[in-house]
Amino acid sequence: MTAPRNYIDQLLATFQQAAAANRATAGRRGNVVHLDNTDATEVMITTDLHGHRHNYNRIICIADLERHPRRHLVMQEVCHGGPTYPGNGGCMSHLLLEDVAALKVRYPDRVHFILSNHELAELTDYPIVKKRQMQNLAFRFGLQAMYGEATEEVRQAYLPFLKTCPLAIRVPEGVFISHTVPDSVDARGFDASLFERETNDDDLAERSALFSLVWGRDFRQQNADAFAELVDARVMIHGHEPCRGGYAAPNSRQVILDCCGPRACYLMLPVGQRLTQKEIVQRIQRLH
């Protein structure tokens, strides 16, 4: 049984409001949200969820934004993975994306959903195959199971929200949060003007600067140093890379969190304190 029309209409309105909230987020300049300790005491940083409903619920519980008005929440990569619909095997992770959009509407200046490679893949129809399954196709099947004839209408409503998601969060005292970093910045450089303006259609092309930003897996010290210098960061915090232990520090600049697995971790980072990478790692906590 598909969702009733009144539910679909409300969902369409939510995504329209969420896209507007992305654009109007306090502290947003271009594609980066700049946090400020005048209105933020701490930021809870989370990463890849891939449809993991239990971990998502735990994040919302720990964040407790209603009772902590000076706490911000960073989320990313909810699409592709998790439970499936019994009828057609479609991916149910679209429901997490819808929950994130509703959360952005509820807390427009304190919830920040940064763009990842899997959300970019949905925005651009870029195929992702994982465990011999076409992730995008499974996602469409999930939409079909939920929305029937309105599937494409709902999918089109997602796209402005995804396109307006920030690419990074900057925290005072040198912390830069993005999904990952591009490969070979030390050798090839990177067009950092991407952070200074809104995303345009040219950015959505394969092998663009945006594409390289969310797909990179170059964790060499030299690459991390080059990108950190480019974005004026001492420490960078990312997702993207699965971590068996829930987190990793592959070099002296980067901290990687993983919120998808059974050892999922998050970081509650104070805003405005100058912390070393080691001190940041010591603040990492488990979701469960």
Side-chain angles (χ1 to χ4, degrees):
M1 182 176 179
T2 57
R5 186 66 224 186
N6 62 340
Y7 179 89
I8 293 172
D9 288 341
Q10 180 58 55
L11 181 65
L12 301 181
T14 295
F15 272 93
Q16 184 177 32
Q17 294 164 23
N22 274 343
R23 296 186 186 97
T25 300
R28 180 162 182 167
R29 301 201 288 274
N31 266 322
V32 180
V33 176
H34 297 250
L35 299 190
D36 190 317
N37 56 15
T38 61
D39 60 9
T41 299
E42 59 190 358
V43 53
M44 180 177 178
I45 304 167
T46 68
T47 60
D48 309 22
L49 279 167
H50 291 299
H52 201 305
R53 169 63 63 179
H54 184 48
N55 285 1
Y56 174 86
N57 290 344
R58 181 64 178 153
I59 287 169
I60 299 305
C61 180
I62 293 171
D64 197 7
L65 296 176
E66 197 65 31
R67 295 178 58 188
H68 296 86
R70 290 176 56 83
R71 178 177 292 167
H72 288 237
L73 173 62
V74 173
M75 305 187 79
Q76 58 194 284
E77 200 155 80
V78 297
C79 293
H80 302 161
T84 58
Y85 287 96
N88 66 358
C91 176
M92 298 178 72
S93 64
H94 69 92
L95 297 173
L96 282 192
L97 183 61
E98 293 163 15
D99 285 350
V100 165
L103 198 65
K104 178 65 180 177
V105 171
R106 185 175 179 184
Y107 303 103
D109 291 326
R110 295 197 291 132
V111 169
H112 313 289
F113 187 64
I114 61 177
L115 192 68
S116 74
N117 58 312
H118 282 258
E119 273 75 35
L120 180 63
E122 284 302 321
L123 179 57
T124 61
D125 277 331
Y126 183 80
I128 297 182
V129 178
K130 195 173 181 180
K131 296 180 180 178
R132 299 184 177 180
Q133 181 187 56
M134 181 71 76
Q135 301 283 292
N136 318 63
L137 189 58
F139 192 82
R140 299 289 177 87
F141 283 161
L143 290 174
Q144 182 68 39
M146 184 68 173
Y147 300 114
E149 293 181 357
T151 290
E152 187 58 20
E153 185 180 8
V154 170
R155 194 184 77 82
Q156 287 297 322
Y158 291 174
L159 304 186
F161 172 67
L162 295 177
K163 189 175 181 180
T164 56
C165 285
L167 303 183
I169 311 296
R170 186 179 293 280
V171 182
E173 303 300 335
V175 176
F176 191 83
I177 307 164
S178 60
H179 186 56
T180 184
V181 301
D183 294 340
S184 302
V185 178
D186 55 326
R188 298 199 299 257
F190 178 77
D191 181 8
S193 69
L194 177 67
F195 295 120
E196 300 168 2
R197 54 174 175 78
E198 293 185 358
T199 300
N200 59 47
D201 290 341
D202 290 340
D203 295 322
L204 304 183
E206 186 177 350
R207 307 307 171 192
S208 66
L210 174 55
F211 186 96
S212 67
L213 173 68
V214 298
W215 275 99
R217 280 196 166 91
D218 184 348
F219 302 118
R220 293 176 299 115
Q221 183 71 53
Q222 298 92 324
N223 190 59
D225 286 340
F227 189 74
E229 182 176 354
L230 198 64
V231 298
D232 190 23
R234 292 185 304 102
V235 181
M236 302 176 294
I237 302 173
H238 315 297
H240 191 52
E241 181 72 5
C243 302
R244 182 174 297 180
Y247 70 93
N251 54 63
S252 68
R253 295 279 198 173
Q254 292 174 286
V255 177
I256 301 172
L257 302 174
D258 186 348
C259 289
C260 191
R263 297 178 64 79
C265 291
Y266 70 94
L267 173 64
M268 196 71 77
L269 185 70
V271 173
Q273 290 188 29
R274 187 178 179 87
L275 300 176
T276 65
Q277 183 204 42
K278 181 178 180 180
E279 289 170 331
I280 288 173
V281 168
Q282 290 173 343
R283 289 175 175 267
I284 294 173
Q285 301 178 61
R286 300 216 177 271
L287 277 177
H288 305 287

